[in-house]
PDB file of all heavy atoms in Angstrom:
ATOM      1  N   THR A 255     -34.394 143.661-148.920  1.00 91.00           N
ATOM      2  CA  THR A 255     -34.315 144.074-150.283  1.00 91.00           C
ATOM      3  C   THR A 255     -35.763 144.178-150.860  1.00 91.00           C
ATOM      4  O   THR A 255     -36.782 143.722-150.227  1.00 91.00           O
ATOM      5  CB  THR A 255     -33.674 142.960-151.073  1.00 91.00           C
ATOM      6  OG1 THR A 255     -33.564 143.413-152.435  1.00 91.00           O
ATOM      7  CG2 THR A 255     -34.348 141.620-151.081  1.00 91.00           C
ATOM      8  N   GLY A 256     -35.896 144.749-151.986  1.00 91.00           N
ATOM      9  CA  GLY A 256     -37.175 144.980-152.753  1.00 91.00           C
ATOM     10  C   GLY A 256     -37.521 143.730-153.466  1.00 91.00           C
ATOM     11  O   GLY A 256     -36.677 142.693-153.573  1.00 91.00           O
ATOM     12  N   ALA A 257     -38.598 143.682-154.157  1.00 92.00           N
ATOM     13  CA  ALA A 257     -38.987 142.437-154.954  1.00 92.00           C
ATOM     14  C   ALA A 257     -38.068 142.314-156.127  1.00 92.00           C
ATOM     15  O   ALA A 257     -37.886 141.120-156.499  1.00 92.00           O
ATOM     16  CB  ALA A 257     -40.453 142.717-155.447  1.00 92.00           C
ATOM     17  N   GLU A 258     -37.527 143.374-156.736  1.00 92.00           N
ATOM     18  CA  GLU A 258     -36.646 143.211-157.884  1.00 92.00           C
ATOM     19  C   GLU A 258     -35.443 142.384-157.645  1.00 92.00           C
ATOM     20  O   GLU A 258     -34.820 141.683-158.384  1.00 92.00           O
ATOM     21  CB  GLU A 258     -36.296 144.488-158.507  1.00 92.00           C
ATOM     22  CG  GLU A 258     -37.457 145.300-159.188  1.00 92.00           C
ATOM     23  CD  GLU A 258     -37.011 146.635-159.764  1.00 92.00           C
ATOM     24  OE1 GLU A 258     -35.757 146.873-159.622  1.00 92.00           O
ATOM     25  OE2 GLU A 258     -37.841 147.277-160.256  1.00 92.00           O
ATOM     26  N   GLN A 259     -34.905 142.486-156.387  1.00 91.00           N
ATOM     27  CA  GLN A 259     -33.738 141.842-156.027  1.00 91.00           C
ATOM     28  C   GLN A 259     -33.968 140.529-155.181  1.00 91.00           C
ATOM     29  O   GLN A 259     -32.997 139.976-154.705  1.00 91.00           O
ATOM     30  CB  GLN A 259     -32.798 142.793-155.093  1.00 91.00           C
ATOM     31  CG  GLN A 259     -32.273 143.955-155.952  1.00 91.00           C
ATOM     32  CD  GLN A 259     -31.247 143.447-156.900  1.00 91.00           C
ATOM     33  OE1 GLN A 259     -30.405 142.729-156.592  1.00 91.00           O
ATOM     34  NE2 GLN A 259     -31.280 144.026-158.156  1.00 91.00           N
ATOM     35  N   GLN A 260     -35.212 140.047-155.072  1.00 91.00           N
ATOM     36  CA  GLN A 260     -35.397 139.048-154.315  1.00 91.00           C
ATOM     37  C   GLN A 260     -34.817 137.624-154.740  1.00 91.00           C
ATOM     38  O   GLN A 260     -34.247 136.988-154.037  1.00 91.00           O
ATOM     39  CB  GLN A 260     -36.957 138.683-154.384  1.00 91.00           C
ATOM     40  CG  GLN A 260     -37.471 137.460-153.441  1.00 91.00           C
ATOM     41  CD  GLN A 260     -38.983 137.193-153.415  1.00 91.00           C
ATOM     42  OE1 GLN A 260     -39.719 138.080-153.876  1.00 91.00           O
ATOM     43  NE2 GLN A 260     -39.323 136.231-152.855  1.00 91.00           N
ATOM     44  N   SER A 261     -34.834 137.388-156.152  1.00 91.00           N
ATOM     45  CA  SER A 261     -34.081 136.207-156.597  1.00 91.00           C
ATOM     46  C   SER A 261     -32.678 136.290-156.377  1.00 91.00           C
ATOM     47  O   SER A 261     -31.922 135.289-155.979  1.00 91.00           O
ATOM     48  CB  SER A 261     -34.347 136.040-158.087  1.00 91.00           C
ATOM     49  OG  SER A 261     -35.772 135.899-158.425  1.00 91.00           O
ATOM     50  N   ALA A 262     -32.005 137.566-156.603  1.00 89.00           N
ATOM     51  CA  ALA A 262     -30.665 137.638-156.280  1.00 89.00           C
ATOM     52  C   ALA A 262     -30.183 137.306-154.689  1.00 89.00           C
ATOM     53  O   ALA A 262     -29.272 136.604-154.477  1.00 89.00           O
ATOM     54  CB  ALA A 262     -30.123 139.001-156.656  1.00 89.00           C
ATOM     55  N   ALA A 263     -31.138 137.753-153.863  1.00 88.00           N
ATOM     56  CA  ALA A 263     -30.864 137.634-152.435  1.00 88.00           C
ATOM     57  C   ALA A 263     -31.181 136.009-152.124  1.00 88.00           C
ATOM     58  O   ALA A 263     -30.418 135.470-151.379  1.00 88.00           O
ATOM     59  CB  ALA A 263     -32.045 138.342-151.769  1.00 88.00           C
ATOM     60  N   GLU A 264     -32.044 135.317-152.747  1.00 87.00           N
ATOM     61  CA  GLU A 264     -32.277 133.961-152.505  1.00 87.00           C
ATOM     62  C   GLU A 264     -31.153 133.115-153.057  1.00 87.00           C
ATOM     63  O   GLU A 264     -30.703 132.142-152.482  1.00 87.00           O
ATOM     64  CB  GLU A 264     -33.609 133.634-153.192  1.00 87.00           C
ATOM     65  CG  GLU A 264     -34.804 134.150-152.405  1.00 87.00           C
ATOM     66  CD  GLU A 264     -36.138 133.805-153.128  1.00 87.00           C
ATOM     67  OE1 GLU A 264     -36.096 133.390-154.341  1.00 87.00           O
ATOM     68  OE2 GLU A 264     -37.264 133.951-152.455  1.00 87.00           O
ATOM     69  N   MET A 265     -30.650 133.461-154.228  1.00 84.00           N
ATOM     70  CA  MET A 265     -29.457 132.811-154.647  1.00 84.00           C
ATOM     71  C   MET A 265     -28.234 132.958-153.788  1.00 84.00           C
ATOM     72  O   MET A 265     -27.451 132.104-153.535  1.00 84.00           O
ATOM     73  CB  MET A 265     -29.065 133.263-156.016  1.00 84.00           C
ATOM     74  CG  MET A 265     -30.164 132.968-157.261  1.00 84.00           C
ATOM     75  SD  MET A 265     -29.771 133.664-158.801  1.00 84.00           S
ATOM     76  CE  MET A 265     -28.247 132.988-159.127  1.00 84.00           C
ATOM     77  N   LEU A 266     -28.094 134.181-153.192  1.00 81.00           N
ATOM     78  CA  LEU A 266     -27.060 134.378-152.350  1.00 81.00           C
ATOM     79  C   LEU A 266     -27.071 133.544-151.162  1.00 81.00           C
ATOM     80  O   LEU A 266     -25.964 133.319-150.559  1.00 81.00           O
ATOM     81  CB  LEU A 266     -27.069 135.923-151.960  1.00 81.00           C
ATOM     82  CG  LEU A 266     -25.841 136.346-151.124  1.00 81.00           C
ATOM     83  CD1 LEU A 266     -24.585 136.488-152.054  1.00 81.00           C
ATOM     84  CD2 LEU A 266     -26.129 137.739-150.494  1.00 81.00           C
ATOM     85  N   HIS A 267     -28.220 133.132-150.646  1.00 75.00           N
ATOM     86  CA  HIS A 267     -28.344 132.344-149.429  1.00 75.00           C
ATOM     87  C   HIS A 267     -28.358 130.950-149.626  1.00 75.00           C
ATOM     88  O   HIS A 267     -28.458 130.061-148.690  1.00 75.00           O
ATOM     89  CB  HIS A 267     -29.613 132.767-148.713  1.00 75.00           C
ATOM     90  CG  HIS A 267     -29.572 134.283-148.309  1.00 75.00           C
ATOM     91  ND1 HIS A 267     -28.382 134.820-147.955  1.00 75.00           N
ATOM     92  CD2 HIS A 267     -30.570 135.174-148.207  1.00 75.00           C
ATOM     93  CE1 HIS A 267     -28.671 136.024-147.570  1.00 75.00           C
ATOM     94  NE2 HIS A 267     -29.942 136.380-147.750  1.00 75.00           N
ATOM     95  N   THR A 268     -28.264 130.414-150.976  1.00 72.00           N
ATOM     96  CA  THR A 268     -28.384 129.051-151.164  1.00 72.00           C
ATOM     97  C   THR A 268     -27.009 128.280-151.009  1.00 72.00           C
ATOM     98  O   THR A 268     -26.028 128.810-151.326  1.00 72.00           O
ATOM     99  CB  THR A 268     -28.699 128.726-152.737  1.00 72.00           C
ATOM    100  OG1 THR A 268     -30.004 129.511-153.150  1.00 72.00           O
ATOM    101  CG2 THR A 268     -28.851 127.334-153.135  1.00 72.00           C
ATOM    102  N   SER A 269     -27.197 127.254-150.226  1.00 63.00           N
ATOM    103  CA  SER A 269     -25.977 126.555-149.868  1.00 63.00           C
ATOM    104  C   SER A 269     -25.847 125.314-150.778  1.00 63.00           C
ATOM    105  O   SER A 269     -26.753 124.418-150.901  1.00 63.00           O
ATOM    106  CB  SER A 269     -26.016 125.986-148.309  1.00 63.00           C
ATOM    107  OG  SER A 269     -26.182 127.063-147.438  1.00 63.00           O
ATOM    108  N   LEU A 270     -24.872 125.280-151.633  1.00 60.00           N
ATOM    109  CA  LEU A 270     -24.490 124.130-152.483  1.00 60.00           C
ATOM    110  C   LEU A 270     -23.227 123.494-152.265  1.00 60.00           C
ATOM    111  O   LEU A 270     -22.269 124.216-151.677  1.00 60.00           O
ATOM    112  CB  LEU A 270     -24.590 124.725-153.967  1.00 60.00           C
ATOM    113  CG  LEU A 270     -26.007 125.248-154.514  1.00 60.00           C
ATOM    114  CD1 LEU A 270     -25.781 125.839-155.765  1.00 60.00           C
ATOM    115  CD2 LEU A 270     -27.080 124.242-154.398  1.00 60.00           C
ATOM    116  N   TYR A 271     -23.151 122.200-152.682  1.00 59.00           N
ATOM    117  CA  TYR A 271     -21.856 121.664-152.418  1.00 59.00           C
ATOM    118  C   TYR A 271     -21.080 122.008-153.742  1.00 59.00           C
ATOM    119  O   TYR A 271     -21.273 121.492-154.851  1.00 59.00           O
ATOM    120  CB  TYR A 271     -21.854 120.153-152.352  1.00 59.00           C
ATOM    121  CG  TYR A 271     -22.558 119.767-150.927  1.00 59.00           C
ATOM    122  CD1 TYR A 271     -23.939 119.427-150.924  1.00 59.00           C
ATOM    123  CD2 TYR A 271     -21.847 119.713-149.825  1.00 59.00           C
ATOM    124  CE1 TYR A 271     -24.558 119.160-149.629  1.00 59.00           C
ATOM    125  CE2 TYR A 271     -22.422 119.436-148.638  1.00 59.00           C
ATOM    126  CZ  TYR A 271     -23.743 119.075-148.555  1.00 59.00           C
ATOM    127  OH  TYR A 271     -24.282 118.670-147.380  1.00 59.00           O
ATOM    128  N   ALA A 272     -19.898 122.813-153.577  1.00 57.00           N
ATOM    129  CA  ALA A 272     -19.325 123.256-154.719  1.00 57.00           C
ATOM    130  C   ALA A 272     -18.188 122.386-155.123  1.00 57.00           C
ATOM    131  O   ALA A 272     -17.602 121.691-154.215  1.00 57.00           O
ATOM    132  CB  ALA A 272     -18.571 124.671-154.397  1.00 57.00           C
ATOM    133  N   ALA A 273     -17.860 122.134-156.458  1.00 57.00           N
ATOM    134  CA  ALA A 273     -16.809 121.235-156.731  1.00 57.00           C
ATOM    135  C   ALA A 273     -15.512 121.833-156.553  1.00 57.00           C
ATOM    136  O   ALA A 273     -14.479 121.063-156.251  1.00 57.00           O
ATOM    137  CB  ALA A 273     -17.092 121.061-158.351  1.00 57.00           C
TER     138      ALA A 273
END
Side-chain angles (χ1 to χ4, degrees):
T255 184
E258 290 183 3
Q259 293 291 317
Q260 180 174 356
S261 295
E264 291 173 346
M265 290 175 62
L266 187 71
H267 300 323
T268 302
S269 297
L270 297 175
Y271 292 101

